[in-house]
Amino acid sequence: MIRIFLLGYMGAGKTTLGKAFSRAMRLTFVDLDWYIEERYHKTVRQIFDERGEDGFRELEKRMLHEVGDFEDVVISVGGGTPCFFDNMDYMNQMGETIFLDAGVKVLFRRLKVAKQQRPLLAEKTDEELMTFIVEALQKRLPFYTKAKHVFNGEQLEDRHQIQQSVERLKELLNL
Ligand code: S3P
């Protein structure tokens, strides 16, 4: 039985790699944000607006435990998931955990064009976005680095790179 948790900051490539890797390995792919949105019939943004971040984190934890029971699965969790409650310990206990690491420059470039659906970023100017990423990473790294493996998430820019990253990840996990 294989159960893999992909974690890392917003824009690190969790969904991109998770989708490609699960397809190559014939595993089920679950993106925790999408799972939450389907279960609650609301976008993450709406949930943040209605319940605040604290309310979202409670619900996120509950949903993590729901998908954490799935088997033969790749689960990409939200950027904040590992940093609340005992979520990181839970994931380490339930399966392989992979911290998808990407530098601030790469994260900024990716998030600049994909911030609208992310409530924590949507209203920020470029300068605010950069500062926010740097500060958030500092706070979050101690959680992310509790993962069992670290994987470079910068090489996910086109199909060829994604394919190569899938192969590297297979090697890392001896699959
Ligand atoms: C968040 C990341 C998002 C989503 C929510 C909060 C965060 O997930 O869970 O907007 O706190 O970093 P992605 O990392 O998949 O964008």
Side-chain angles (χ1 to χ4, degrees), residues 5-21:
F5 294 92
L6 283 179
L7 54 109
Y9 199 63
M10 292 179 269
K14 296 166 300 221
T15 307
T16 304
L17 182 64
K19 266 198 214 165
F21 186 73

Side-chain angles (χ1 to χ4, degrees), residues 8-12 14-15 31 33 36 44-45 48 53 56-57 60 76-81 84 111 117-120 140 144:
Y9 199 63
M10 292 179 269
K14 296 166 300 221
T15 307
D31 179 290
D33 283 335
I36 292 171
V44 167
R45 223 181 148 163
F48 259 75
E53 180 168 359
F56 174 75
R57 296 304 173 191
E60 178 182 50
S76 108
V77 302
T81 315
F84 291 85
L111 290 172
Q117 68 271 33
R118 291 172 162 109
L120 295 174
R140 289 180 171 190
Y144 293 162

Side-chain angles (χ1 to χ4, degrees), residues 2-7 12-38 67-68 70-78 98 100 118 156 162 166 169:
I2 302 176
R3 185 183 295 121
I4 296 165
F5 294 92
L6 283 179
L7 54 109
K14 296 166 300 221
T15 307
T16 304
L17 182 64
K19 266 198 214 165
F21 186 73
S22 56
R23 198 178 312 125
M25 298 298 298
R26 296 176 188 280
L27 299 168
T28 304
F29 175 65
V30 178
D31 179 290
L32 184 59
D33 283 335
W34 297 351
Y35 185 83
I36 292 171
E37 292 184 343
E38 275 187 24
V67 301
F70 295 176
E71 301 196 339
D72 295 319
V73 68
V74 179
I75 301 162
S76 108
V77 302
I98 297 155
L100 209 50
R118 291 172 162 109
L156 295 166
I162 294 170
V166 166
L169 186 53

Side-chain angles (χ1 to χ4, degrees), residues 47-123:
I47 300 173
F48 259 75
D49 286 345
E50 285 175 19
R51 304 178 181 225
E53 180 168 359
D54 289 352
F56 174 75
R57 296 304 173 191
E58 294 280 347
L59 180 157
E60 178 182 50
K61 176 183 175 175
R62 235 179 307 129
M63 294 303 105
L64 176 66
H65 283 245
E66 218 170 276
V67 301
D69 274 337
F70 295 176
E71 301 196 339
D72 295 319
V73 68
V74 179
I75 301 162
S76 108
V77 302
T81 315
C83 315
F84 291 85
F85 311 108
D86 59 349
N87 291 347
M88 197 61 233
D89 294 335
Y90 171 75
M91 291 189 276
N92 274 331
Q93 188 188 314
M94 296 303 283
E96 293 299 329
T97 46
I98 297 155
F99 165 34
L100 209 50
D101 194 14
V104 174
K105 270 192 192 162
V106 171
L107 295 175
F108 175 78
R109 177 167 44 74
R110 291 179 184 166
L111 290 172
K112 198 166 136 60
V113 292
K115 61 180 185 184
Q116 278 324 317
Q117 68 271 33
R118 291 172 162 109
L120 295 174
L121 309 180
E123 313 300 333

